[in-house]
Amino acid sequence: MTGYVTRRLGQAVVVLWAAYTVTFVVLYLLPSDPVEIMLAGGQGGEQSTVDPAQVAALRHEYGLDEPLPVQYVHALWRTLHLDFGRSIQNGAPVTSLIGDALPQTAVLAASALAVALVLGVGIAFLSTWVRRSWVRTLLLALPPLGVSLPTFWVGLLLVQVFSFRIPVFPALGNQGFATLVLPSVTLAVPVSASIAQVLARGLRTALAEPYVETARAKGASRARVHLRHAFRNATIPALTIVGVIVGNLLAGAVVVETVFSRVGIGRLTVTAVNGQDIPLVQGLVLLAAAVFVATNLVVDLLYPVVDPRIRVVGVPRRPRAVTRTLVGSAS
């Protein structure tokens, strides 16, 4: 197990380095100048009024006048010491900006994940529990619908209904629990749809296995068959898409925080990209990559806990059956 974790940590380092390098190259290949964008923004967007001497001084201050390989080596060395530099837009340390915005997004993502789990597991369970075919068909049609709905449209619809027509929840802001409800539901819709789609397929597959028939023959109740025998095996394919779920949460936070005017990582990302704030964008990309890598490592370590059969000489690995299930659900 120690060797497995060591290898995965080595792979995580490579992923983080690749994400940082690709982001660095892409941002520096853009034709616009981040310093000119900053100065033009401060002068009403008129780039013709920007003082060339001021641009040159700021480029020298941020090291943007050095050759690209030199900039990369210096930036990578600072990053290895957890120093992401200062924001080009406002001069504040990148770590401080991310640290201030991260708690709000973490609360939003955690609440959205809780809502998504309740909705996704509930829909998947009910779709394999109910006996009426039309109800089952209706429930199974909800996940594809949830995936296809644009996140911004769902957010605007919820604001229109529950903030204006039925003024129950505030439409904007970060203050209090009430301002968290609509953004959480908006962010949870596509995530819950993914969970429900994969979990429902896993439950249907598990319920058709011979061991389920054996449990029924021994007199196990319907609830026991679903919860104890089928549900545990059905969660293995659902665990496999946790990385995708985390990616959806991070990507959706950008849209949701913009729609609901919330201060967080999503709004910070939009501002950084629009202003071509290279140090801040690199810090945000590394944060997202680190969350994704850590999540997938935890999932891999959970496989043998959920199903002890998934173990080879103490090293967990993703079973081929999981891959087949996911490919089938995607098709």
Side-chain angles (χ1 to χ4, degrees), residues 196-242:
Q197 197 167 24
V198 175
L199 188 57
R201 184 178 181 88
L203 279 171
R204 292 197 304 271
T205 302
L207 289 170
E209 293 292 333
Y211 65 85
V212 171
E213 296 297 331
T214 302
R216 288 170 178 163
K218 290 182 177 180
S221 65
R222 194 163 176 235
R224 181 181 177 84
V225 169
H226 262 75
L227 295 176
R228 182 176 177 83
H229 296 281
F231 186 77
R232 186 171 183 176
N233 289 321
T235 57
I236 297 176
L239 273 177
T240 307
I241 67 164
V242 167

Side-chain angles (χ1 to χ4, degrees), residues 155 158-159 162-164 166-183 259-260 262:
L158 292 177
V159 168
F162 295 104
S163 294
F164 297 125
I166 308 174
V168 179
F169 302 106
L172 307 173
N174 291 63
Q175 303 301 320
F177 174 78
T179 61
L180 188 63
V181 174
L182 295 185
V259 171
F260 292 94
R262 294 181 59 87

Side-chain angles (χ1 to χ4, degrees), residues 252-328:
V254 176
V255 177
V256 170
E257 290 179 355
T258 301
V259 171
F260 292 94
S261 296
R262 294 181 59 87
V263 177
I265 294 295
R267 286 286 298 278
L268 189 64
T269 302
V270 172
T271 303
V273 171
N274 288 338
Q276 201 176 327
D277 196 333
I278 296 174
L280 184 54
V281 172
Q282 289 174 327
L284 292 168
V285 169
L286 274 182
L287 173 64
V291 171
F292 183 83
V293 167
T295 301
N296 280 275
L297 177 60
V298 171
V299 169
D300 281 341
L301 296 178
L302 282 177
Y303 274 122
V305 176
V306 176
D307 190 347
R309 295 172 301 175
I310 309 174
R311 188 188 300 268
V312 179
V313 195
V315 178
R317 67 180 183 181
R318 299 184 180 187
R320 295 180 180 179
V322 173
T323 306
R324 289 197 298 269
T325 302
L326 288 178
V327 171

Side-chain angles (χ1 to χ4, degrees), residues 54-146:
Q54 190 178 6
V55 172
L58 285 173
R59 286 181 58 83
H60 179 73
E61 179 181 351
Y62 286 98
L64 298 176
D65 57 346
E66 297 177 340
L68 185 61
V70 175
Q71 292 185 47
Y72 174 75
V73 171
H74 288 169
L76 183 60
W77 178 254
R78 291 195 303 267
T79 301
L80 291 176
H81 293 80
L82 299 181
D83 178 12
F84 299 103
R86 294 181 294 117
S87 168
I88 296 177
Q89 295 296 309
N90 54 29
V94 170
T95 51
S96 298
L97 293 173
I98 294 178
D100 292 340
L102 184 58
Q104 293 291 342
T105 301
V107 171
L108 173 61
S111 59
L113 182 59
V115 174
L117 286 174
V118 172
L119 292 177
V121 174
I123 292 173
F125 187 85
L126 289 175
S127 66
T128 57
W129 179 267
V130 296
R131 299 184 184 277
R132 294 183 179 273
S133 59
W134 69 270
V135 177
R136 184 167 56 252
T137 302
L138 177 62
L139 290 172
L140 291 176
L142 292 179
L145 177 62

